[in-house]
């Protein structure tokens, strides 16, 4: 079940009030320090669906496996949901932030 926390461990939302990187104006002139990619939430969702398909094929004599499979699926589902919320908040913050200044190419 620890593996079911990819999004929880690897996806960062925009900084909250009180965090060092938080910009109360929402300008984030150097870019918003968060994860905008939905790779990990998608990985969690794929593993969730795969686990549910596997659990659906268990027989009645595999109650322990069914229970552990459902608990694992719940962990992946919660992680995917949290990751999706964090990436959505990040994308919203990035959309409202001031674009990073252009740097000269040498």
């Amino acid at each position: 079940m620890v593996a079911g926390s990819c999004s929880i461990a690897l996806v960062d939302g925009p900084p909250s009030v009180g965090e060092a990187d938080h910009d109360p104006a929402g300008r984030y002139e150097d870019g918003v320090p968060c994860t905008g990619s939905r790779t990990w939430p998608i990985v969690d969702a794929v593993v969730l669906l795969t686990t549910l398909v596997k659990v659906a094929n268990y027989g009645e004599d595999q109650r322990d496996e069914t229970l552990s499979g459902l608990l694992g699926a719940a962990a992946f589902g919660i992680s995917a949901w949290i990751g999706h919320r964090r990436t959505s908040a990040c994308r919203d913050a990035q959309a409202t932030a001031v674009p990073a200044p252009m740097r000269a190419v040498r």
Side-chain angles (χ1 to χ4, degrees):
M1 287 226 274
V2 173
S5 60
C6 294
S7 293
I8 293 172
L10 301 174
V11 174
D12 295 320
S16 301
V17 176
E19 290 183 20
D21 294 337
H22 178 71
D23 183 354
R27 294 179 56 87
Y28 294 103
E29 293 179 9
D30 294 327
V32 184
C34 59
T35 308
S37 170
R38 291 207 169 125
T39 300
W40 292 116
I42 290 170
V43 168
D44 284 336
V46 168
V47 175
L48 162 68
L49 294 174
T50 304
T51 303
L52 289 176
V53 168
K54 186 175 179 179
V55 168
N57 290 317
Y58 286 152
E60 287 187 30
D61 60 330
Q62 295 175 306
R63 291 178 193 252
D64 291 340
E65 291 86 353
T66 300
L67 179 59
S68 64
L70 290 174
L71 289 174
F76 283 105
I78 291 168
S79 181
W81 177 69
I82 289 171
H84 179 74
R85 287 186 42 145
R86 287 179 182 172
T87 57
S88 293
C90 179
R91 289 177 178 198
D92 290 345
Q94 289 172 341
T96 59
V98 173
M102 299 294 277
R103 303 205 193 306
V105 178
R106 296 180 187 217

